Amino acid sequence: MRTGERRAVYVRMVRPVFVFLILAVVVSSSSKPTERKSRVHHEEPLSALEHDDQKNFDYDHEAFLGQEEAKTFEQLTPEESQRRLGIIVDKIDTNRDGFVSEEELKAWIKNAQRKHISGSVEHQWKDFDLNGDGRISWEEYKNVTYGSYLDDPPKESEYNYTHMMLRDERRFRVADRNGDLIADKQEFTAFLHPEEHEYMKDVVVQETIEDIDKNGDGFIDLKEYIGDMYISENGEKEPEWVATERQQFSEFRDKNKDGKMDKEETMDWILPSDYDHAEAEARHLLHESDANQDGKLSKKEILDKHEVFVGSQVTDFGEALLRHDEF
Ligand SMILES: *[C@@H]1O[C@H](CO)[C@@H](O)[C@H](O)[C@H]1NC(C)=O
Ligand SMILES: *[C@@H]1O[C@H](CO)[C@@H](O)[C@H](O)[C@H]1NC(C)=O
Ligand SMILES: [Ca+2]
Ligand SMILES: [Ca+2]
Ligand SMILES: [Ca+2]
């Protein structure tokens, strides 16, 4: 099956829950073998876009504004984009001391992320709530997601839809806290975005281990860990980062040094409690724009670095770089 076809089937059959998986599939199939595959169930990033400021600030824009707003800004003239950024700066400065602190920035980014998640749930809601009663039963979800497969099972398929459906059902049952097999908005949000919910962490870890654990012993050993990120081509010399990952595994991931990751060690890996995307992004934005290095941002500092925070019609950093390369 060609990549395009595979993606089409994938999107049609399992779009809702497997958004991250699709991304991983698309990314890995289009990238060179030596590139790092993105993990299926890492803590939800602030944006699905790659974070590489050498190329563009698209990730920062989505983290700062949310996906929808980021798109809106790209349609604006540079003047209008900066005018609105100025208004936003006033909103971020909640204690009104005239500066944006790292904490204020972090709270703003967290809020953008929350809005993005609830927006994406709202967006999908109508598709699943077939009887329009304001709740989504497992039967409704199953019907919409796997209906065409159940009606007419393909004779051959790259994916085991029965397996995926059972997995979805297991996750749905965990999200469904009151056990009526019907999800209200909160429960459905936990189902679609489990990484954001404490009580979903175990099932996320379980799914991750199942994905990577090829010999089925319930653990991730070094070979499986590396195999999940890197498949060596014939005769290719192992790239540097793979060696680094091996070392990471032995030194940090496998904490009790028994040569494999158990549930707890896997949890520390994919959902580290000491790492917060919003905090990291706030620190990053501060670092990028704090011209006088006093640890807080004036409106002028932010506007001087507007391209880091928001896009606009003309100011396309990526394009500028391209042009630079050409001439
Ligand atoms: C799915 O829902 C449609 C519309 O409500 C219904 O006609 C159909 O029988 C359902 N299919 C399955 C497999 O539940
Ligand atoms: C598909 O998955 C189901 C449930 O995990 C399993 O029972 C079945 O054997 C699998 N089928 C194939 C063809 O692997
Ligand atoms: Ca319920
Ligand atoms: Ca271990
Ligand atoms: Ca400053």
Side-chain angles (χ1 to χ4, degrees):
M1 219 187 242
R2 283 178 297 116
T3 311
E5 266 174 277
R6 180 164 96 165
R7 183 181 179 194
V9 168
Y10 225 69
V11 171
R12 192 169 67 246
M13 298 296 296
V14 292
R15 177 173 44 92
V17 174
F18 285 88
V19 176
F20 291 105
L21 190 48
I22 294 163
L23 288 172
V25 166
V26 172
V27 168
S28 65
S29 59
S30 63
S31 55
K32 289 179 244 85
T34 51
E35 277 178 30
R36 189 185 301 249
K37 268 203 295 181
S38 58
R39 182 83 288 282
V40 179
H41 284 304
H42 262 297
E43 189 177 344
E44 196 143 330
L46 302 169
S47 159
L49 300 170
E50 185 191 10
H51 194 180
D52 185 351
D53 287 351
Q54 300 301 315
K55 292 184 185 152
N56 57 54
F57 294 116
D58 291 354
Y59 177 98
D60 300 301
H61 298 170
E62 284 201 359
F64 183 69
L65 294 168
Q67 201 177 349
E68 293 296 308
E69 245 341 65
K71 278 206 201 83
T72 306
F73 268 75
E74 273 161 26
Q75 310 301 317
L76 303 176
T77 63
E79 294 75 24
E80 178 60 11
S81 165
Q82 287 176 51
R83 189 186 72 81
R84 293 197 193 179
L85 177 58
I87 297 173
I88 289 177
V89 171
D90 293 335
K91 286 193 203 163
I92 302 176
D93 177 19
T94 43
N95 71 355
R96 307 222 161 267
D97 69 345
F99 294 97
V100 167
S101 66
E102 187 182 311
E103 276 306 308
E104 286 170 337
L105 206 43
K106 177 180 158 188
W108 173 265
I109 291 166
K110 275 216 181 298
N111 194 44
Q113 185 186 24
R114 264 196 298 274
K115 278 206 300 224
H116 168 66
I117 287 177
S118 76
S120 99
V121 172
E122 287 302 330
H123 184 72
Q124 297 179 54
W125 190 263
K126 286 189 305 297
D127 294 344
F128 293 108
D129 185 11
L130 295 176
N131 68 0
D133 71 345
R135 302 183 309 159
I136 293 167
S137 66
W138 166 246
E139 287 304 319
E140 286 175 319
Y141 180 82
K142 188 169 76 173
N143 185 329
V144 173
T145 309
Y146 298 103
S148 58
Y149 158 73
L150 293 168
D151 289 345
D152 182 19
K155 281 170 201 69
E156 258 182 57
S157 166
E158 195 173 344
Y159 301 103
N160 183 340
Y161 294 109
T162 308
H163 179 74
M164 290 160 100
M165 192 165 70
L166 286 172
R167 205 168 130 121
D168 272 1
E169 182 175 356
R170 182 178 65 191
R171 194 201 280 191
F172 193 98
R173 286 176 183 274
V174 178
D176 172 28
R177 295 236 254 191
N178 68 353
D180 59 359
L181 271 185
I182 300 173
D184 61 19
K185 209 152 267 182
Q186 271 188 330
E187 290 168 336
F188 199 60
T189 303
F191 173 67
L192 292 181
H193 300 274
E195 294 86 351
E196 299 301 309
H197 299 263
E198 195 61 37
Y199 74 102
M200 298 297 291
K201 285 190 172 173
D202 284 340
V203 74
V204 170
V205 168
Q206 198 174 1
E207 289 176 11
T208 304
I209 292 179
E210 287 168 2
D211 282 342
I212 304 175
D213 172 23
K214 298 297 175 217
N215 68 4
D217 67 349
F219 297 93
I220 299 172
D221 61 31
L222 177 59
K223 190 158 164 264
E224 291 162 341
Y225 178 81
I226 295 297
D228 177 60
M229 309 178 186
Y230 171 70
I231 299 158
S232 67
E233 296 271 283
N234 279 345
E236 186 194 33
K237 187 176 170 294
E238 187 175 283
E240 192 76 18
W241 68 261
V242 177
T244 309
E245 280 295 345
R246 284 181 198 284
Q247 199 180 344
Q248 285 274 325
F249 182 93
S250 311
E251 279 181 24
F252 303 109
R253 312 265 181 256
D254 176 19
K255 296 199 162 52
N256 65 359
K257 313 292 177 203
D258 64 352
K260 53 199 182 179
M261 285 200 286
D262 57 23
K263 287 201 185 84
E264 217 172 297
E265 289 163 339
T266 304
M267 174 113 55
D268 284 345
W269 171 42
I270 60 166
L271 302 168
S273 52
D274 58 356
Y275 186 83
D276 183 314
H277 284 282
E279 190 177 308
E281 180 64 11
R283 197 168 301 155
H284 168 65
L285 291 174
L286 190 92
H287 177 78
E288 287 296 312
S289 44
D290 184 10
N292 70 356
Q293 304 202 350
D294 64 350
K296 56 192 183 181
L297 299 176
S298 65
K299 186 185 273 188
K300 180 169 187 309
E301 282 176 325
I302 291 177
L303 290 177
D304 283 350
K305 281 283 191 170
H306 60 88
E307 74 275 7
V308 180
F309 294 84
V310 298
S312 71
Q313 234 176 54
V314 192
T315 340
D316 189 323
F317 187 67
E319 294 253 346
L321 270 189
L322 272 180
R323 263 181 259 123
H324 186 77
D325 283 344
E326 278 168 15
F327 298 108

